[in-house]
């Protein structure tokens, strides 16, 4: 049989030319009148094929061809109507003449073929017939002619022994079906199918057989049943191995067409083909395998009622092949639909066949499903029903169904189910392996916030597993899964089905293992949650949220099931729910949950637990005692004005509580939350000001002083450890407890849009334009008693759902305002321009709300913005926009609730549904008509100073006033009630995260105070090293997964398409989300989501794709010419032209042939180096380049020295040289801002080392004297020491004033301040005068404080403010710089400059591809990896630049390189050791010769990466 799936070209080549397989492409010449499409269209290109779209046609109809050609003509070029009519008339006349001539030729050929018996003459006649058919159109043939031709040609195929005649007759029949599709009916009627099958069975000539395949493919499209009955399936499959791959594909397309119309009972001749089809699943050709899978899917659907036939499918190895194909490591990539359908086949087999059931367990199916779920991430991308997500069935639903079928219930009623239960009882190790693989994953999924459907599926599977498992096996599995804490979280859900399943699981566990789990159920709060379902009034005082509204929520649950048509009871058929009619109504009655909860409490929980005071654990009692003591002491300190001894007592109490959390007995989440410790901690660090209204102005400074000391003490407690720094810090235990608590408490909803179709919709409001998403129907109604506004009640308007309410308010104001102000001609012209450009953008599908602000600087190319960018993205995604905007003139209300202007109408609707506890249906959102009431805003109070502390209250003497303002005045998500447990946990986490970021500042400040107060003797003891916690510790995996899921939804074309909590949490607590999640969110906010990203990926891409370079793939590309010797000038011209446009820039160097990714990355690297050159006047490192009276000498100094990172050089506002140099410096900062923003937009990497403080300035964060050490350690240390002396002088000064005989000693390291000979110029910048006063010419003890203040101001504020503003102005030309505030300074460096990690061997192997003669075990590859690891940092950078074009890896490291770094064998001459490696940087492609030794390879590689820089040419 030879190798499977391989082309047998040698057989074809040995045949004469006229005996080889001839496709219509080879024979039929192209013609504008031809009705045939030219080639087979691969079925693999479509995402999925169902019953009604399984067409595998290799040609298209004439009408579609002619229509397409007409469209093309009309799109390119134009002519007047007279010329067009004349041309069409001439064409019709030509076709009429051609058809008339064809009729005559067909009549003559029919007569001749019927009369002629000579073989040679028949051969010539058939050749002529094929030629005529290849050029004719459908109009050239009639039914009678086609029928007559079919009779003659079919008879020739049946009876003639001459292979040439048979071949030509088959070819003519194929062309006949192309030209006249109805001819296939005549061919079937005259016995064509059996004749073709007979020829295939004889297989005398390969070209005849191949022509039979082509003819049968045409016929099977229209007559699948006739082909099935005629034996076509076995005919095309019997000798399939003898044909090349292209013919094998044709054969399978025939079988796919046949399987489209299978009868209810599968015919025997199709069952006969199953062994061959199962064997074909092993082939390597993906298109072939996918078509075989389609056939097997249809066959399985046809036989799923018959256990015997299903057993037969298993015996032929279908299960083994299906498991291999769905495995993530499979070499064959299937479309998502076929992948899901294969899972469906396994579901049918497991359901109907005991053989399949046992085989799946024996093949360890649970391990495969675990891998699939882990890679896909079950809680992502799941709709609230199993039906459709973006047009495709959800893979996760199929996996859960299969898992459900693999666990029969113990009370099995059928014989088959009893056999399955008996199998598992007799094979406990199989069931244990299933539990080890699946149970922890399902627990994790439900805990991570899966939606109701997935949650019910997971709980159903857990319930069935617990029912089937033996007690001994369950103990270890359930304890490892922390089932008690898991169930406590389940009982916080509001859906009755979830509660019922949770109760059923609890009941089974208590039945089997009550002695083991009863205590943990009490400890974790499971008992209290169950008791609260029965007696909710008893638990109103509990802090931990328990579900207390069973009966009230039942109505909303029933309402939801009515809207969706099918209840969750039917999602997974199981004994969890009582039997009921299959009408779709809910099987649960109103008292089901109450009855079961009451039963569990009465049977399994003792009487004394019913008293909530008696039922609590000792740990909870102790923690409550500590919390109460801390609160009492805090209240006392408020009355006594916080003396020092009280602070010491508070600190000792805090230390005792932290020791309990860190080293004491394990504390459950329920105990931690219920103890009140969280609120006590918050009251301590805020001095009781948490959630209080603003204090009197005179108390603000005192409050800040106390809070400052509390934060210092809290930081000292949490960040000090006797163990190794950063390893066992007390703060880690507190953070992890808070994270677990947050995951248990938060209930932020993940809302699916139900996969709406992306097409053009027309939104009347607010801009009358086309949008690519559905619109919301709204009726605007004037508020009662409102007389100042016009009434526009009546019409239902379509509103862009992702427009902000501020934009809608602007639209309404123009309609309802009674005061019509007259506009100037200039204003009228401007409005006309805006409207005109808005209409242009709307036609192109572009966001027209972005027009108004920048119309004067907008040119036509800028409209090439992706159509998917959400409406009004700037106004709703930038936190600062609403603050800068004017006060609203109208107030809008939905269902009586006032709406915030920063929200979108879509978010307002979602909030309303969430408030009413309704399940959100995508259909309802778009079909329901919403009523929005509008009122005049009148005089609106300014709430900006309603916060606890305002900016004006900041005391200038305090170092961290802005930091504390940010902590205390933060606005957490509106979904959370202030003072609720989740709100408290979020607040404390936010405070600790801020404290961790500011740890050096806070603890340094404490040291300086200690020195001032005499607790530290020498200045040397001020220096300290502060351990900090990794930012990853603050990432909440549950919230990250929820955000990831929300961003995958098709409504996430902008931030306004996501629930409001996404934006509110990202604004207030971005640290809760992983860096990758924030980067995706950032790209959606700034650039929108390209539509191609919304499509469901194939299973080969289920893992996380982290592509740092191709993230802007949806933007149009623009090629730019650059001169290497004028990099900055070229960059400036490029940015002037394209900075404001959303285009992806690609660089091409003058007089070089290279273009694409590699040259573009090198361009950003070269620009980075230009900005670091000495003498630009931009950075602190070249401070002596512009000193008056000195010549500029930069010889031997190419780059600015910046060992701690680049920071702007301070420029005074009074220096004469400003007029010459500062404007140039400002221009360069503008350009730098443009370059940085463009690099972020395009996903490029810069090779520039900014200091951490510069990144903080980019993020809009304030700097303090403590930040100077990060970029100038010497200056920063001296200034802190001076500040310490100043503070000490202030505290001790009063003592010496009272004792006049004493003299205040004021020295710096045993040296008088005057002896330091410091003047009032900025250190390092003698021309920078800090003050114009003559009194401060030299620094002394009296003016030292002024000196420190002026130096800090010049270094951090006044001296660099103009440069920073210039940078921001350039940056804002690309996108608003405020969007970067979701990142930290360290993360911003990763975003801009990529990674600089050490290269691990495993990392290299996992992310490199070896091809064309090399494998991972090739000697040359082993040598290469060893050489790379031996490289120093400089050589590694050179290697990266040589291969990729950039000396740094993108964010994410080697895994983010796209394409993957590929090493291939370079075919050289005989003198291989003299050849050099070469690269294709655009493909990250290294062509490496197979050198004879490692030493030679290293020598050649170093030479190549050193000398091969600086140009791109063909290799």
């Amino acid at each position: 049989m030879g190798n499977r799936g391989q082309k047998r070209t040698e057989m074809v080549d040995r045949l004469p030319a006229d005996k080889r397989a001839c496709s219509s492409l080879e024979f039929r010449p192209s013609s504008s009148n031809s009705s045939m499409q030219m080639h087979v269209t691969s079925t693999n290109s479509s995402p999925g094929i169902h019953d009604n779209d399984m067409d595998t046609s290799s040609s298209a109809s004439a009408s579609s061809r002619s229509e397409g050609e007409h469209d093309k003509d009309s799109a390119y070029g134009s002519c007047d109507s007279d010329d067009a009519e004349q041309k069409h008339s001439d064409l019709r006349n030509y076709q009429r003449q051609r058809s008339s001539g064809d009729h005559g030729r067909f009549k003559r050929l029919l007569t001749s073929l019927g009369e002629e018996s000579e073989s040679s003459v028949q051969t010539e006649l058939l050749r002529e017939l094929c030629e005529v058919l290849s050029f004719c159109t459908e109009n050239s043939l009639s039914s009678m002619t086609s029928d007559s031709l079919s009779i003659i040609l079919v008879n020739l195929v049946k009876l003639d022994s001459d292979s040439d005649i048979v071949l030509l007759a088959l070819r003519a029949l194929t062309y006949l079906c192309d030209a006249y599709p109805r001819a296939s009916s005549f061919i079937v009627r005259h016995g064509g199918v059996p004749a073709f099958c007979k020829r295939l069975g004889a297989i005398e000539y390969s070209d005849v057989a191949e022509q039979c395949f082509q003819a049968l493919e045409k016929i099977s499209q229209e007559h699948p049943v006739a082909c099935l009955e005629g034996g076509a399936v076995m005919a095309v499959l019997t000798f399939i191995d003898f044909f090349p791959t292209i013919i094998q594909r044709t054969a399978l397309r025939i079988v796919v067409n046949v399987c489209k119309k299978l009868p209810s009972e599968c015919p025997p001749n199709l069952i006969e083909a199953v062994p061959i089809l199962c064997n074909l699943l092993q082939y390597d050709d993906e298109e072939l395998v996918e078509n075989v899978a389609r056939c097997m899917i249809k066959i399985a659907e046809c036989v799923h009622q018959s256990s015997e036939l299903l057993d037969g499918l298993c015996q032929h190895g279908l299960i083994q092949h299906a498991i291999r194909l769905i495995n993530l490591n499979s070499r064959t990539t299937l479309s998502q639909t076929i992948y899901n359908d294969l899972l469906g086949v396994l579901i049918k087999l497991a359901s109907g066949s005991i053989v399949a059931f046992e085989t799946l367990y024996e093949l360890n199916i649970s391990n495969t499903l675990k891998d699939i779920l882990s890679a896909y991430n079950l809680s992502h991308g799941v709709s609230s029903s199993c039906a459709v997500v973006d047009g495709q069935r959800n893979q996760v639903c199929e996996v859960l169904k299969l898992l459900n079928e693999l666990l029969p219930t113990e009370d099995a009623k059928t014989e088959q189910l009893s056999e399955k239960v008996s199998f598992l009882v007799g094979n406990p190790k199989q069931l244990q392996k299933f539990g080890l693989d699946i149970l922890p994953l399902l627990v994790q999924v439900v805990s991570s916030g899966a939606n109701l459907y997935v949650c019910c599926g997971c709980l159903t599977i857990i319930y069935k597993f617990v029912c089937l498992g033996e007690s001994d096996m369950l103990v270890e599995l359930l304890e490892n899964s922390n089932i008690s804490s898991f169930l406590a979280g389940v009982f916080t859900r509001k859906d009755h089905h979830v509660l019922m399943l949770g109760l059923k699981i609890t009941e089974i566990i208590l039945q089997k293992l009550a002695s083991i789990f009863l205590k943990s159920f009490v400890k974790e709060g499971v008992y209290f949650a169950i008791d609260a379902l029965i007696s909710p009034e008893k638990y109103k005082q509990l802090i931990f949220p328990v579900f207390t509204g069973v009966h009230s929520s039942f109505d909303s649950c029933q309402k939801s099931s009515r809207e969706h048509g099918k209840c969750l009871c039917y999602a997974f058929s199981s004994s969890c729910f009582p039997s009921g009619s299959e009408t779709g109504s809910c099987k649960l009655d109103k008292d089901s949950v109450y009855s079961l909860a009451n039963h569990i409490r009465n049977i399994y929980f003792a009487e004394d637990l019913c008293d909530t005071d008696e039922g609590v654990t000792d740990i909870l009692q102790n923690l409550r005692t500590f919390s109460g003591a801390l609160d009492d002491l805090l209240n006392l300190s408020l009355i006594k004005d916080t003396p020092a001894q009280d602070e010491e007592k508070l600190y000792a109490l805090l230390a005792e509580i932290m020791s309990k959390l860190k080293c004491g007995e394990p504390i459950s989440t329920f105990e931690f939350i219920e103890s009140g410790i969280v609120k006590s901690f918050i009251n301590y660090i805020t001095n009781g000001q948490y959630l209080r209204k603003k204090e009197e102005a005179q108390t603000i400074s005192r409050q800040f002083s106390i809070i400052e000391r509390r934060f210092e003490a809290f930081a000292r407690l949490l960040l000090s450890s006797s163990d190794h720094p950063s390893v066992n810090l007390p703060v880690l235990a507190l953070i992890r407890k808070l994270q677990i608590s947050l995951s248990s408490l938060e209930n932020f909803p993940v809302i699916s849009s139900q996969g709406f179709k992306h097409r053009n919709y027309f939104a009347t409001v607010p801009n009358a334009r086309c949008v690519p998403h559905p619109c919301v129907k709204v009726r605007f109604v004037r508020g009662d008693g409102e007389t100042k506004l016009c009434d526009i009640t009546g019409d239902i308007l379509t509103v862009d759902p992702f427009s902000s309410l501020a934009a809608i308010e602007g639209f309404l104001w123009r309609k309802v305002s009674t005061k019509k102000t007259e506009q100037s001609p200039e204003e009228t012209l401007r409005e006309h321009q805006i409207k005109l450009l808005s209409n242009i953008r709307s036609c192109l599908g572009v966001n027209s709300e972005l027009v108004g602000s920048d119309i004067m600087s907008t040119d036509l190319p800028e409209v090439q913005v992706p159509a998917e960018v959400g409406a009004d993205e700037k106004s709703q995604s930038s936190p600062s926009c609403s603050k800068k905007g004017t006060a609203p003139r109208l107030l809008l209300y939905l269902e009586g609730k006032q709406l915030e202007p920063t929200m979108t109408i879509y978010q307002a609707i979602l909030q309303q549904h969430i408030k009413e506890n309704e399940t959100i249906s995508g259909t309802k959102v778009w079909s329901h008509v919403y009523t929005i009431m509008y009122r005049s805003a009148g005089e609106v109070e300014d709430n900006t100073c309603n916060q606890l502390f305002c900016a004006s209250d900041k005391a200038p003497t305090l170092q961290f006033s802005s930091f504390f303002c940010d902590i205390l005045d933060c606005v957490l998500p509106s979904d959370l009630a202030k003072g609720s447990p989740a709100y408290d946990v979020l607040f404390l986490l936010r405070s600790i995260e801020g404290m961790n970021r500011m740890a050096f500042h806070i603890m340094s400040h404490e040291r300086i105070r200690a020195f001032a107060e005499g607790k530290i003797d020498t200045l040397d003891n001020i220096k300290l090293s502060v351990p900090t916690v990794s930012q990853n510790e603050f990432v909440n995996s549950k919230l990250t997964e929820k955000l990831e899921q929300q961003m995958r939804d098709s409504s996430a074309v902008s931030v306004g398409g996501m629930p409001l909590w996404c934006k509110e949490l990202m604004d207030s607590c971005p640290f809760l989300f992983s860096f990758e999640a924030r980067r995706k969110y950032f790209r959606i906010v700034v650039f929108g989501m390209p539509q191609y990203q919304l499509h469901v990926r194939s299973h080969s891409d289920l893992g996380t794709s982290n592509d740092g370079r191709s993230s802007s793939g949806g933007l149009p590309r623009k090629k730019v010419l650059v001169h290497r010797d004028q990099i900055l000038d070229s960059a400036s011209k490029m940015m002037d032209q394209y900075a404001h446009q959303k285009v992806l820039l690609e660089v091409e160097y003058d007089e070089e042939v290279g273009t694409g990714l590699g040259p573009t990355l090198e361009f950003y690297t070269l620009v980075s180096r230009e900005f670091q050159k000495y003498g630009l006047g931009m950075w602190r490192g070249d401070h002596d380049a512009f000193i008056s009276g000195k010549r500029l000498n930069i010889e031997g100094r190419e780059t600015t020295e910046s060992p701690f990172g680049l920071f702007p050089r301070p420029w005074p506002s009074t220096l004469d040289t400003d007029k010459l140099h500062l404007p140039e410096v400002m221009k360069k900062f503008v350009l730098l801002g443009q370059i940085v923003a463009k690099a972020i937009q395009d996903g490029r990497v810069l090779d520039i080392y900014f200091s951490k403080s510069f990144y903080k300035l980019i993020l809009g964060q304030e700097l303090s004297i403590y930040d100077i050490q990060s970029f100038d350690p010497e200056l920063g240390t001296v200034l802190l020491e001076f500040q310490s002396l100043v503070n000490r002088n202030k505290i001790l000064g009063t003592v010496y004033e009272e004792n006049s005989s004493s003299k205040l000693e004021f020295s710096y390291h045993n040296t008088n301040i005057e002896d330091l000979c410091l003047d009032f110029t900025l250190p390092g910048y003698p021309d920078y005068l800090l003050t114009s006063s003559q009194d401060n010419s030299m620094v002394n003890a009296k003016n030292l404080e002024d000196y420190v203040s002026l130096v800090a101001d010049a270094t951090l504020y006044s001296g660099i403010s103009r440069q920073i503003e210039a940078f921001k102005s350039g940056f804002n030309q690309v996108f608003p710089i405020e969007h970067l505030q979701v990142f930290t300074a360290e993360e911003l460096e990763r975003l801009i400059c990529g990674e600089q990690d050490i290269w691990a061997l495993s990392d290299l192997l996992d992310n490199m591809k070896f091809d064309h003669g090399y494998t991972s075990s090739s000697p040359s590859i082993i040598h290469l990896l060893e050489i790379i690891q031996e490289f120093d940092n400089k050589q590694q950078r050179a290697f990266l630049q040589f291969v990729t074009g950039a000396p740094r890896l993108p964010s994410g490291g080697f895994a983010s390189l796209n394409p993957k770094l590929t090493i291939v064998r370079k075919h050289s001459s005989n003198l291989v050791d003299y050849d050099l490696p070469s690269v294709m940087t655009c493909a990250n492609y290294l062509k490496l010769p197979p050198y004879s030794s490692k030493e030679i390879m290293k020598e050649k590689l170093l030479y190549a990466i050193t000398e091969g820089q600086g140009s791109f040419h063909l290799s």
Side-chain angles (χ1 to χ4, degrees), residues 43-94:
T43 58
N44 196 32
S45 62
S46 62
I49 296 182
H50 303 279
D51 290 349
N52 59 345
D53 60 358
M54 286 181 64
D55 188 17
T56 55
S57 172
S58 60
S59 63
S61 65
S63 60
S64 64
R65 170 68 181 268
S66 59
E67 182 183 349
E69 290 179 349
H70 175 73
D71 288 345
K72 183 175 180 181
D73 291 340
S74 63
Y76 294 93
S78 60
C79 56
D80 55 47
S81 57
D82 293 338
D83 290 343
E85 289 180 6
Q86 182 62 40
K87 287 184 178 181
H88 285 300
S89 176
D90 293 344
L91 181 60
R92 285 194 295 271
N93 291 334
Y94 171 76

Side-chain angles (χ1 to χ4, degrees), residues 15-20 119-127 130 153 156-157 160-172 199 204-205 207-208 211:
L15 295 171
D18 59 343
K19 292 293 181 72
R20 297 175 190 166
S119 297
S120 60
V121 177
Q122 279 188 329
T123 301
E124 291 303 319
L125 290 171
L126 287 170
R127 289 185 189 280
C130 287
L153 294 173
L156 288 174
V157 174
D160 208 296
S161 58
D162 190 323
S163 60
D164 288 342
I165 291 177
V166 174
L167 175 64
L168 291 170
L170 286 166
R171 189 171 295 161
R199 287 290 178 184
E204 296 172 345
Y205 299 98
D207 54 348
V208 172
Q211 197 64 56

Side-chain angles (χ1 to χ4, degrees), residues 42-50 53 290 294 334-341 390-393 1095-1098:
S42 169
T43 58
N44 196 32
S45 62
S46 62
I49 296 182
H50 303 279
D53 60 358
E290 188 154 305
R294 285 193 176 96
L334 302 175
S335 69
Q336 188 67 53
T337 302
I338 298 300
Y339 189 85
N340 291 345
D341 286 341
D390 288 341
Q392 299 190 358
R393 287 214 325 267
H1095 297 161
V1096 178
R1097 295 170 295 175
S1098 66

Side-chain angles (χ1 to χ4, degrees), residues 1209-1245:
R1209 176 195 194 276
W1211 282 89
S1213 57
T1214 57
L1215 197 62
D1216 292 338
T1217 53
D1218 266 5
K1219 299 175 182 178
L1220 299 175
H1221 301 298
L1222 186 56
E1224 289 300 316
V1225 173
M1226 300 274 284
K1227 288 180 183 178
K1228 287 183 173 61
F1229 270 102
V1230 171
L1231 177 59
L1232 178 62
Q1234 293 170 329
I1235 291 289
V1236 170
K1238 202 67 179 174
I1240 294 173
Q1241 177 184 286
D1242 293 359
R1244 310 307 186 201
V1245 175

